[in-house]
Amino acid sequence: MTYPSPNGLLDRSQPAARRDPSALPRLTHTPAATSFASHERFWGPLPNGRALVEQTRRSGLRGRGGAGFPTALKLDAVLAAAAASGRRRRRPIVVANGTEGEPASAKDRTLLEQAPHLVLDGMVEAAAAVGAGRAIVCVKADGAAVIASLEQALAERRSRDEVSLELSIVPAGYVAGEESALVNWLSSGVPAPTITPPRPADRGVEGRPTLVDNVETMANLALIGRFGADWWRGVGSGADPGSILLTISGAVAAPGVYEVGNGSPLRDALTLAGAGRTAGVLVGGYFGTWLTAEQAGRAGLGRESLARFGGSVGCGVVIVLPEHSCPLEESARVARWLSRQSAGQCGPCVNGLPAIAGAMEDLARGRDVAQAERHAHRWADMADGRGACKLPDGTARFVRSALRTFAPHLERHRLLGGPCDGLGSESVLHLPGREVSLRWG
Amino acid sequence: MGMRMTVNPIRCDGRGLCAVLLPELVTLDDWGYPVIEQADVPAHLEAQARRAASACPVLALSLTCVASPRPARSISPRSVALR
């Protein structure tokens, strides 16, 4: 498996500390099939984690799992909870989330296969920073290559780290990777979300203060710990520093995982992957936001730019719809799939999501368009914010975005009183059970 | 001291007693699950809110005391505007 390296190769002869801070790719181009020895030779030895919190604060790193929460605040919250536990001090736990529930995302597994030690380094650093004795990396049960890569990496490092590094294999499922579900799984063996508060930082795995960060976030912590915030900020924009991993798929010549500067133009990333004319671009995965071709041409991947279109880069998924597909049908497929991911715990999710999917399917087929549109809005509003986890919220967001962005297309269905020519065209969306093959570079 | 009402969505079975006992603050969605229209309980409805909470067969409705009622803007869980 080769990795697309649109920005050229790193110069491996340079000592790690003096390596060009503006070079891309950064996270994913450590020596392929890396051994711990070659990894350490490449990146240099691991520091002790003592300066990590301060450097992370200065770096401006935000979580790369989707929510984009400032990582330094999470570290602070875990430290505060540990301090508040007083004499019966509850030692914190570090959890790296590599479950990658987003069907169209491949960046976490790519990272775990290509640079497992960078992720493990970040976990060791974070554990040292918050005083954790255990750090657990969680991956999905169906990721055989990822599990093999991590098992080998863990075997190589055995007893070299002060923290106990562990691997947990989580049952596959979209909501199983949600933060509270992961904590629930590690504490009690149930891979389903719980209500918050308490937040994992306050009371997580085994009731201990728990730092849960995405594996890409961990890999970034490994670099911030080694080279400091200033070096780390050498890539990306001032407001959105660092690099981000994008998984670009759909109507593109070279679908795959791309590492680009955070905050860079979406257009540039689409050009790298060879995107052609499109009916719409989904940014941020199935909790994400649809952009028209015109919007995609002028949007940046930074928070401020995407917020203008009501979106965020989320977990870095970018899907390009073919020009002649029906965007409403594609959206209905996703809505139906999301409705089947419910853990079945909360009424508004169990009832609301299938109702939303049904309304979207009516829109795709052009059946009673006005009423279906009213229903989709009504039920999205009704489900939003009323589950234990964010599945209803994410579904509502996705559906509202589809209705807004594809309003002109909706109008066509209304006038036709039926579907458009795009109905039934082959889907480019990744939905488990109907896999679309993804090439690497 | 004010009082705040929340529903535990995992426990809630949609029996709907809360909406019967406290229609001023609780309505039902299209599937019979409670929507808290206003989380901060006004003083004159506190006794009624307590009755609704204790009547819930699955104890999904909870009341917590808060130092001072938050402004209506930051009501949580978010109230649902229906079209």
Side-chain angles (χ1 to χ4, degrees):
Chain A
M1 186 163 79
T2 55
Y3 186 81
S5 54
N7 322 82
L9 301 181
L10 282 178
D11 177 5
R12 292 189 199 153
S13 60
Q14 276 277 69
R18 274 187 279 142
R19 194 159 289 133
D20 178 5
S22 65
L24 276 172
R26 177 189 261 187
L27 298 174
T28 37
H29 217 278
T30 51
T34 176
S35 69
F36 188 52
S38 65
H39 165 80
E40 271 211 311
R41 232 181 358 260
F42 184 72
W43 286 114
L46 200 59
N48 57 20
R50 229 172 287 155
L52 188 70
V53 179
E54 188 46 39
Q55 288 298 318
T56 303
R57 194 183 333 279
R58 284 189 45 213
S59 76
L61 171 65
R62 285 172 175 267
R64 301 291 196 238
F69 192 76
T71 305
L73 293 184
K74 271 196 182 181
L75 288 164
D76 282 342
V78 171
L79 281 168
S85 64
R87 263 182 302 158
R88 296 181 303 108
R89 186 175 144 69
R90 294 170 300 146
R91 205 165 179 199
I93 284 187
V94 167
V95 175
N97 191 349
T99 53
E100 196 162 49
E102 279 284 331
S105 178
K107 58 107 176 164
D108 288 340
R109 65 181 137 105
T110 301
L111 181 64
L112 287 168
E113 283 175 38
Q114 295 222 339
H117 286 295
L118 206 56
V119 175
L120 296 174
D121 280 355
M123 293 164 64
V124 171
E125 279 275 283
V130 300
R134 294 171 65 197
I136 309 166
V137 55
C138 297
V139 297
K140 253 190 320 191
D142 55 6
V146 169
I147 293 170
S149 160
L150 276 172
E151 277 175 345
Q152 194 194 329
L154 287 168
E156 281 181 300
R157 305 171 69 115
R158 191 134 292 156
S159 79
R160 300 185 67 146
D161 300 298
E162 283 179 22
V163 56
S164 157
L165 285 173
E166 298 161 36
L167 171 65
S168 178
I169 296 165
V170 185
Y174 191 56
V175 296
E178 191 266 338
E179 195 173 73
S180 75
L182 216 50
V183 166
N184 197 8
W185 162 252
L186 292 170
S187 299
S188 63
V190 181
T194 59
I195 58 162
T196 47
R199 296 173 306 157
D202 293 322
R203 207 177 333 138
V205 179
E206 295 167 2
R208 296 163 183 276
T210 302
L211 180 78
V212 185
D213 274 321
N214 171 262
V215 289
E216 185 187 341
T217 313
M218 291 292 182
N220 278 295
L221 285 178
L223 297 187
I224 291 169
R226 272 193 176 83
F227 307 128
D230 292 337
W231 182 93
W232 185 83
R233 291 179 64 91
V235 164
S237 69
D240 301 282
S243 69
I244 49 171
L245 298 177
L246 300 178
T247 312
I248 309 179
S249 64
V252 295
V257 177
Y258 292 84
E259 184 170 3
V260 302
N262 200 0
S264 60
L266 173 60
R267 192 183 54 235
D268 291 357
L270 293 175
T271 304
L272 285 177
R277 296 170 65 89
T278 175
V281 178
L282 181 65
V283 179
Y286 295 158
F287 278 14
T289 302
W290 286 108
L291 303 177
T292 63
E294 182 272 325
Q295 289 169 334
R298 61 189 165 93
L301 291 166
R303 278 177 301 128
E304 200 176 294
S305 175
L306 281 174
R308 246 176 277 146
F309 303 103
S312 74
V313 75
C315 58
V317 163
V318 176
I319 304 175
V320 182
L321 284 188
E323 191 181 9
H324 298 296
S325 60
C326 173
L328 293 171
E329 188 187 24
E330 292 282 41
S331 301
R333 283 180 178 135
V334 172
R336 179 58 69 188
W337 183 82
L338 285 169
S339 77
R340 293 190 179 129
Q341 303 315 306
S342 175
Q345 298 190 117
C346 307
C349 180
V350 169
N351 296 288
L353 269 47
I356 292 170
M360 291 300 288
E361 284 158 0
D362 283 348
L363 289 176
R365 297 191 188 106
R367 277 199 301 241
D368 207 344
V369 170
Q371 176 178 294
E373 189 183 5
R374 261 197 319 276
H375 279 162
H377 275 297
R378 176 182 175 87
W379 293 328
D381 289 350
M382 238 177 223
D384 196 355
R386 291 184 57 228
C389 76
K390 304 285 185 215
L391 182 62
D393 315 27
T395 306
R397 175 194 172 121
F398 174 82
V399 164
R400 288 190 195 117
S401 169
L403 296 175
R404 188 173 58 239
T405 303
F406 302 128
H409 197 92
L410 202 67
E411 189 54 30
R412 260 176 74 196
H413 284 211
R414 196 197 316 274
L415 293 174
L416 287 165
C420 63
D421 293 341
L423 186 80
S425 51
E426 208 195 328
S427 173
V428 296
L429 298 171
H430 299 256
L431 298 171
R434 219 198 50 70
E435 295 291 342
V436 178
S437 73
L438 195 65
R439 289 182 292 118
W440 306 99
Chain B
M1 288 293 268
M3 197 181 256
R4 166 166 304 210
M5 184 167 52
T6 51
V7 174
N8 178 332
I10 296 178
R11 276 202 187 155
C12 178
D13 264 353
R15 311 279 179 102
L17 264 69
C18 48
V20 174
L21 294 171
L22 192 57
E24 294 88 346
L25 302 181
V26 183
T27 58
L28 297 180
D29 69 14
D30 288 0
W31 310 286
Y33 286 82
V35 176
I36 308 288
E37 297 287 352
Q38 188 190 325
D40 290 312
V41 181
H44 72 279
L45 289 175
E46 281 185 2
Q48 227 176 305
R50 278 203 195 87
R51 202 145 46 94
S54 57
C56 176
V58 293
L59 301 179
L61 197 63
S62 54
L63 294 166
T64 46
C65 290
V66 288
S68 57
R70 288 187 207 168
R73 248 158 214 256
S74 60
I75 284 175
S76 167
R78 60 173 277 158
S79 57
V80 176
L82 301 181
R83 284 161 202 249

